[in-house]
């Protein structure tokens, strides 16, 4: 009977892992293509994305593969170069969010007591705060440079990571290897960085990957409202520039919008696949 239960459990774990590998492979394949496009943008782009042309809102054709915008700029080349901006903003903002969330969540869950209460209240404040409007306010005050956009998105999107890490830390602090480390006199800060965070980081990795898509969407939303960095080409900015030409130049916003959707889907698939594979319930207890 016990053997049968163990076999069924192993089979379920295997099926769950296989179901996680497929979306992960698809997502990684799309991401690899996007990274290659971003790296080799100068070789792939057919025109200078910043160069103004004489053909205004020209439809897709042999010369301009995806047409031109209202200023005569090549949409295909803008989308190619926009991959650099959107991926950079998404990755950096998500990394900032991941680091802050991991540290605050780990400290709150491991140390507990008054420190946990304070950090939990800070977490709750950010949770109920309309972060997008906060981002709008900060950008209105300090400018819409790409650095400001990355920082403010990262500094306002760490709440989910902190909650996940706090739950992991609360569970891990009761494990035998942590209690043993405490008993032999290891400092709390050493235990936190040597045992708690490394063993509880897996859900954070999956969640941070999904946060990249959220950061890309936030940047696109800011650019669509005209609050993106005007000195760089981004997909949201292309959509913003094309909204005035939706009837006469539908291709301007459509192709850049599709690129955003595909990129967000790729990161969602990667995050979902990692979450299925790295789930603590499936990895078992150590």
């Amino acid at each position: 009977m016990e053997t049968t239960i163990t076999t069924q459990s192993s089979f379920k774990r295997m099926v769950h892992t296989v179901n996680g590998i497929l979306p992960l492979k698809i997502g990684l394949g799309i991401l690899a293509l996007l990274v290659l496009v971003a790296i080799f943008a100068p070789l792939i782009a057919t025109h200078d994305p910043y160069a103004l042309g004489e053909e205004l809102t020209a439809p897709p054709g042999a010369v301009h593969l995806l047409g031109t915008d209202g200023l005569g700029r090549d949409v295909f080349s803008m989308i190619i170069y926009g991959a650099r901006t959107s991926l950079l903003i998404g990755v950096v903002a998500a990394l900032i969010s991941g680091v802050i969330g991991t540290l605050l969540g780990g400290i709150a869950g491991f140390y507990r007591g008054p420190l946990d209460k304070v950090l939990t209240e800070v977490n709750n404040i950010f949770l109920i705060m309309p972060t997008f409007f906060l981002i709008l306010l900060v950008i209105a005050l300090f400018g819409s440079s790409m650095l400001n956009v990355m920082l403010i998105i990262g500094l306002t999107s760490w709440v989910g990571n902190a909650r996940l890490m706090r739950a992991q830390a609360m569970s891990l602090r009761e494990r035998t290897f942590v209690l043993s480390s405490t008993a032999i006199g290891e400092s709390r800060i050493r235990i936190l960085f040597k045992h708690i965070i490394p063993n509880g980081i897996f859900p954070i990795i999956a969640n941070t990957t999904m946060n990249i898509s959220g950061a890309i969407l936030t940047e696109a939303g800011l650019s669509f409202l005209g609050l993106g960095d005007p000195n760089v080409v981004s997909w949201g900015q292309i959509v913003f520039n094309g909204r005035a030409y939706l009837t006469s130049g539908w291709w301007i916003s459509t192709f850049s919008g599709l690129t955003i959707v595909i990129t967000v889907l790729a990161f969602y698939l990667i995050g979902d696949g990692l979450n299925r594979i790295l789930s603590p319930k499936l990895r078992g207890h150590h």
Side-chain angles (χ1 to χ4, degrees):
M1 184 69 177
E2 185 178 343
T3 306
T4 305
I5 294 172
T6 306
T7 304
Q8 288 176 346
S9 178
S10 300
F11 179 73
K12 286 180 180 179
R13 284 199 297 268
M14 184 179 69
V15 170
H16 204 80
T17 303
V18 170
N19 289 339
I21 290 173
L22 182 59
L24 180 61
K25 284 184 176 179
I26 296 171
L28 287 174
I30 298 172
L31 177 60
L33 181 62
L34 289 169
V35 170
L36 288 174
V37 166
I39 293 172
F40 298 106
L43 300 177
I44 300 171
T46 55
H47 296 75
D48 182 347
Y50 299 98
L52 306 181
E54 296 180 358
E55 297 181 79
L56 308 183
T57 59
V63 179
H64 301 285
L65 298 178
L66 300 181
T68 62
D69 68 358
L71 297 175
R73 295 175 297 185
D74 185 69
V75 173
F76 174 75
S77 301
M78 292 172 70
I79 290 175
I80 295 298
Y81 273 87
R84 289 181 166 186
T85 305
S86 296
L87 288 176
L88 180 63
I89 289 175
V91 170
V92 172
L95 285 176
I96 293 171
S97 163
V99 170
I100 294 174
T102 299
L103 290 176
L104 293 183
I107 291 169
F110 179 59
Y111 282 84
R112 303 289 290 157
L115 190 58
D116 179 31
K117 291 180 180 178
V118 171
L119 292 176
T120 301
E121 287 305 316
V122 172
N123 199 322
N124 291 336
I125 290 170
F126 273 87
L127 191 64
I128 63 174
M129 188 181 296
T131 52
F132 191 76
F133 293 104
L134 177 63
I135 293 171
L136 292 179
L137 178 63
V138 172
I139 287 177
L141 292 173
F142 298 103
S144 57
S145 70
M146 196 161 75
L147 178 62
N148 286 350
V149 171
M150 289 189 292
L151 286 175
I152 190 60
I153 293 175
L155 292 172
T156 55
S157 59
W158 53 266
V159 177
N161 285 329
R163 290 166 69 89
L164 281 172
M165 192 66 220
R166 178 177 178 270
Q168 290 287 94
M170 288 174 65
S171 172
L172 289 167
R173 72 194 295 268
E174 304 299 332
R175 299 285 182 86
T176 306
F177 65 92
V178 174
L179 295 175
S180 301
S181 299
T182 305
I184 62 175
E186 279 196 49
S187 65
R188 282 191 159 194
I189 193 74
R190 180 177 171 82
I191 293 172
L192 177 65
F193 284 98
K194 185 181 177 182
H195 300 296
I196 301 296
I197 290 178
N199 284 283
I201 198 71
F202 299 105
I204 313 301
I205 293 173
N207 195 60
T208 299
T209 306
M210 291 187 178
N211 281 349
I212 296 176
S213 61
I216 291 173
L217 281 175
T218 302
E219 186 279 329
L222 291 171
S223 295
F224 183 74
L225 294 173
L227 295 172
D229 190 337
N231 300 313
V232 297
V233 176
S234 74
W235 295 331
Q237 189 184 82
I238 301 170
V239 175
F240 169 71
N241 293 333
R243 66 178 183 174
Y245 304 95
L246 285 176
T247 53
S248 59
W250 56 268
W251 52 86
I252 303 171
S253 295
T254 302
F255 291 121
S256 52
L258 283 173
T259 311
I260 294 171
V261 171
I262 291 169
T263 305
V264 169
L265 177 63
F267 281 109
Y268 175 79
L269 289 173
I270 294 170
D272 184 57
L274 287 173
N275 191 45
R276 288 170 180 267
I277 293 170
L278 301 178
S279 174
K281 292 181 180 178
L282 298 176
R283 290 186 298 108
H285 300 288
H286 299 292

